[in-house]
Amino acid sequence: MLKIFNTLTRKKEIFKSIVKNKIGIYVCGVTVYDLCHLGHARTFLIFDMIIRYLKNCNYKVNYIRNITDIDDKIILKSIQKKESFVNFSNRMILEMNNDFSKINLLKPNFEPKVSNCINNIIKIISNLIKKKYAYIGKNGDVFFSIKKYSNYGKISNRKINNFKKKNIFHNSLSIKKDFEDFVLWKLSKKDNEPHWSSPWGEGRPGWHIECSAITEKYLGCEFDIHGGGIDLLFPHHENEIAQSSCFNDSFSVSYWIHTGLLVINNLKMSKSLNNSLILKDVLKKFDGDVIRFFFLSTHYRSPLEYFEEKIKKSKKSFEKIRKAVLFLNSGFFSSFNNFCNSSIIEEDNFHSAMKNDFNTPKAISVLFSIVKKINFFKKNKNLKNVFLYSFKLKELVKILGFFTDQNVFLKDKDINEETLKKRNKKKSIALFIKLRNKARKQKKWDLADSFKEKLLEFGVVIEDKSYKDLK
């Protein structure tokens, strides 16, 4: 049975979906004010792995990931670039999608922009004001009153009276009731700022409210999984729980999943800290599967320190798996589905690791044990087990999202598509001849005939000899 560590309860829990065999999952997406960095890649690649595994467990997954396309930073960048915020954000979204395709990320079922959900945001804010959970500040902005929500701090384990008061408190006190209150709607302060009409004046939404509006629209008040980086735990997810719970008493997320930070020089990788590695630049040195392997080699909840030597070592390790998969991608394995239906203990070990809170380091160690056995069986010419273990390896690596792009086998400079086809054909013919002769020696005539038919597909005609001629 699948167990997931739930940030809300701080323990592993047996996973059970609200609706049988169906899962609703929401992951906080990118604020598109710049190119994506490697920290973004880790978060979304981890959830890509999780979603792929849930699908492998025969769940029908409804995956929602938002795009924050309106934000103070986006406005500032668009002004600096002398573009409209729409053109600028759309350009960044195209860059994001291009980068994500190179690391083999599945596309969400829905990926709504915040700017397309303004009416839903206004609906929730209006409801919160009506219920006295929100109020209009002295500057016209709308704020959520944290003290009105008694369960504030339930996921971050922070108490209101323990919040550190900042020096700016006396300045903010003039516009809102309490320092901890956060903005739901900002009035436009300048004529060139993007804005929308609302009951409180021309303005734009605050950051936290957008996720509450989008989950309510696409998943309803109850859904299975909410995810994001651990840096979003507070205040973003705490605020989201508060406003969603006050808007709808039935709001509930069964499992909160948070990924560990990607760190560099002991600091969180972040654009604001000016220490981020642009994903596009890293992809010039390492392909998407190597980056995926680097991330999945560490448990998703653990912090991961990046330095280039470490990912270079990951590349060398991953080449062992790549070579094994390259061998079995020769084109003849599709004919052996029935032949390879047998189970192996490594297959069970792989799924045991994945069902224990997606323990990918353990699962990857299982892949290497399979590679080791493949090499042993090849050396000892045990073709049956070579087929069996190679076939299982190919199945398991795809569950983790590796080799989803068939062109991955052409990335070696010494391999092009034409030579690969020739190489595969030559190997296939030689192998089928060997297997057919072995089957005839064992008097397995039906199996021998099936190999003969397969050779015909390659344009090879076999003239049968008597059994004694094979001795």
Side-chain angles (χ1 to χ4, degrees), residues 199-225:
W200 322 286
E202 303 286 328
R204 63 184 184 277
W207 177 36
H208 309 299
I209 192 65
E210 64 186 59
C211 290
S212 290
I214 291 171
T215 55
E216 193 270 338
K217 178 179 180 180
Y218 288 91
L219 294 171
C221 63
E222 295 182 352
F223 55 98
D224 299 287
I225 297 172

Side-chain angles (χ1 to χ4, degrees), residues 12-50:
K12 291 181 187 178
E13 298 177 356
I14 296 172
F15 179 77
K16 185 177 181 181
S17 59
I18 296 171
V19 179
K20 187 177 181 180
N21 298 328
K22 292 183 178 181
I23 294 175
I25 178 170
Y26 178 80
V27 178
C28 295
V30 178
T31 300
V32 288
Y33 71 91
D34 206 340
L35 298 173
C36 290
H37 58 66
L38 207 58
H40 292 131
R42 188 191 187 198
T43 294
F44 300 118
L45 194 147
I46 290 299
F47 282 103
D48 181 84
M49 172 273 295
I50 289 173

Side-chain angles (χ1 to χ4, degrees), residues 340-351 366 369-370 373-374 377 385 388-393 395-396:
C340 297
N341 275 340
S342 302
S343 61
I344 58 175
I345 187 64
E346 286 82 2
E347 190 173 16
D348 293 336
N349 292 342
F350 175 90
H351 288 290
V366 175
S369 69
I370 295 176
K373 285 192 175 181
I374 290 170
F377 292 132
N385 279 333
L388 175 60
Y389 281 82
S390 296
F391 191 85
K392 294 301 180 182
L393 178 65
E395 286 185 332
L396 297 179

